[in-house]
């Protein structure tokens, strides 16, 4: 006979009742039937579980061991049943979206917008420094959508059957301590930062190579680069140990001024990826639209980015007027 959950419940009922007669009543069984069942359980476990005496039953050493396990197993199975029921109700009543993203404000903003746009959807998140890891999770079906990035015109992370759509393209900004001389200007010339040490977050794309190439075009080789988490980058900049590279959407932070790099030598493309056979078109359209709206909202909270966008619009308008004048 194989041990089953009902057998564990029987053992617990006997121990709690303190006698076979009382346990039989609680279980709705005849006392002889319960005694026979207990003997079968004891044979399956290889020893006596209870000692019978004048005043009832008492657990043996083996019985105590089994009871100790029932205190773990039975509640765990009950919780599993409750969780399964909740999950089944969730799947009936709403969808589930598993989102991945590199570290940054866009993932949180997307989650916030989806909470309003699709209120019946359960959203979970997974953050990673690695765009390639996010692509693998998409390809394996362990994520539904992923927010990743690519430097300049670099291709998105490669994995079979994935689709990537551009959410937005941002200039790369520099983080400066508030007291830095270049923090007072509208933009920072990369060549003017030749003597600085640098800080940025890690990644497995080509951004490091693109930055080194941009510095070479500006006439210098960058000094030490601290590649670390966002909080450490912020600290290094705040204390004047380094200047940092950041996305233009980097949120306002005490002690730090963000400025665009003159001439926009580096750009960052925000991408949304998904498995092309695993998502409904309407779900893709919703998540993509909310990702773009989330980016716009995050960008609007950055004064330096808003000013950069306004200046670019002015330059574009002036260029259009010049072309119109030449055409006429």
């Amino acid at each position: 006979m194989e041990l089953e959950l009902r057998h564990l419940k029987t053992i617990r009922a006997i121990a709690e009742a303190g006698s076979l007669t009382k346990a039989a009543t609680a279980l709705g069984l005849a006392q002889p039937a319960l005694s026979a069942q207990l003997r079968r359980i004891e044979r399956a476990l290889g020893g006596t579980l209870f000692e019978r005496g004048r005043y009832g039953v008492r657990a043996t050493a083996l019985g105590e061991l089994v009871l100790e396990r029932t205190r773990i197993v039975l509640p765990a199975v009950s919780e599993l049943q409750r969780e399964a029921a909740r999950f089944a109700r969730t799947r009936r009543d709403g969808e589930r979206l598993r989102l991945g993203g590199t570290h940054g404000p866009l993932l949180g903003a997307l989650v916030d917008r989806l909470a309003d746009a699709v209120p019946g959807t359960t959203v979970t998140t997974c953050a990673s420094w690695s765009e390639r890891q996010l692509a693998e999770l998409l390809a394996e079906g362990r994520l539904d959508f992923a927010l990743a990035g690519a430097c300049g015109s670099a291709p998105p992370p490669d994995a079979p059957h994935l689709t990537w759509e551009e959410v937005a393209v941002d200039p790369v900004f520099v983080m400066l301590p508030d007291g830095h001389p270049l923090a007072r200007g509208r933009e920072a010339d990369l060549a003017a930062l030749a003597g600085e040490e640098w800080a940025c977050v890690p990644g497995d794309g080509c951004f490091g190579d693109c930055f080194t190439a941009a510095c070479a075009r500006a006439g210098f080789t960058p000094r030490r680069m601290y590649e670390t988490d966002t909080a450490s980058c912020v600290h290094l900049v705040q204390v004047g140990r380094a200047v940092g590279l950041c996305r233009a959407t980097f949120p306002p932070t005490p002690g730090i001024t963000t400025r665009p790099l003159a001439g926009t030598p580096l750009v960052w493309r925000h991408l949304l990826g998904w498995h092309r056979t695993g998502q409904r078109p309407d779900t893709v359209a919703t998540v993509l639209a909310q990702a773009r709206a989330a980016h716009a909202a995050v960008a609007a909270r950055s004064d330096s980015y808003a000013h950069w966008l306004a200046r670019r619009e002015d330059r574009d308008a002036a260029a259009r007027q010049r072309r119109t004048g030449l055409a006429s």
Side-chain angles (χ1 to χ4, degrees):
M1 183 187 77
E2 290 186 356
L3 196 66
E4 299 175 10
L5 283 175
R6 63 188 179 91
H7 298 144
L8 297 182
K9 292 177 180 178
T10 296
I11 295 168
R12 185 180 64 179
I14 294 171
E16 290 176 349
S19 78
L20 290 177
T21 302
K22 292 180 181 178
T25 301
L27 293 171
L29 298 173
Q31 195 272 337
L34 179 59
S35 296
Q37 185 181 93
L38 177 59
R39 287 193 294 270
R40 291 194 296 272
I41 294 172
E42 289 175 329
R43 284 197 298 270
L45 291 173
T48 302
L49 299 178
F50 297 97
E51 295 177 345
R52 295 157 179 82
R54 175 183 296 181
Y55 300 106
V57 297
R58 183 177 64 180
T60 64
L62 176 60
E64 290 290 354
L65 173 65
V66 175
L67 285 168
E68 181 180 350
R69 297 299 188 270
T70 65
R71 296 185 187 103
I72 299 172
V73 173
L74 293 178
V77 171
S78 297
E79 180 59 25
L80 172 61
Q81 292 174 325
R82 288 191 292 270
E83 287 183 1
R86 286 196 297 268
F87 181 83
R89 287 194 298 271
T90 299
R91 295 296 288 172
R92 287 194 300 269
D93 298 340
E95 296 296 324
R96 179 178 61 150
L97 286 177
R98 299 163 298 173
L99 304 181
T102 49
H103 294 250
L106 188 52
L107 179 60
L110 175 57
V111 171
D112 179 44
R113 293 194 64 87
L114 287 174
D116 292 330
V118 283
T121 299
T122 299
V123 180
T124 60
T125 60
C126 169
S128 172
W129 297 115
S130 170
E131 286 87 2
R132 283 198 293 268
Q133 182 186 41
L134 293 173
E136 291 170 0
L137 293 174
L138 282 176
E140 294 168 2
R142 295 164 62 187
L143 287 177
D144 297 310
F145 293 91
L147 287 167
C151 180
S153 59
D158 186 27
H161 310 300
L162 297 188
T163 297
W164 294 95
E165 190 73 29
E166 193 173 275
V167 174
V169 180
D170 289 337
V172 173
F173 276 24
V174 62
M175 295 188 295
L176 303 165
D178 285 344
H180 196 285
L182 294 181
R184 294 191 290 271
R186 293 195 304 182
E187 59 184 16
D189 194 297
L190 186 57
L193 297 166
E196 301 286 352
E197 295 185 350
W198 297 83
C200 74
V201 296
D204 51 16
C206 64
F207 182 77
D209 293 336
C210 293
F211 171 65
T212 301
C215 293
R217 291 192 296 271
F220 71 97
T221 299
R223 297 176 62 194
R224 179 185 299 174
M225 171 66 78
Y226 299 100
E227 193 173 75
T228 184
D229 61 277
T230 303
S232 296
C233 285
V234 167
H235 176 76
L236 290 171
V237 175
Q238 287 172 327
V239 300
R241 175 64 60 186
V243 297
L245 295 166
C246 67
R247 303 168 191 178
T249 52
F250 189 80
T253 304
I256 287 180
T257 298
T258 61
R259 288 290 179 262
L261 291 167
T264 316
L266 295 165
V267 296
W268 186 257
R269 294 163 56 224
H270 298 277
L271 304 169
L272 180 72
W274 63 91
H275 196 289
R276 66 175 63 103
T277 63
Q279 299 299 328
R280 298 197 308 266
D282 59 331
T283 303
V284 170
T286 296
V287 176
L288 182 58
Q290 295 304 321
R292 287 171 172 162
H295 175 271
V298 170
R301 291 198 292 271
S302 170
D303 290 340
S304 57
Y305 192 21
H307 294 155
W308 183 88
L309 288 171
R311 290 196 298 273
R312 188 183 68 172
E313 290 174 0
D314 290 342
R315 288 194 298 268
D316 291 347
R320 287 194 297 270
Q321 288 179 350
R322 286 196 298 271
R323 288 195 297 270
T324 301
L326 289 174
S328 60

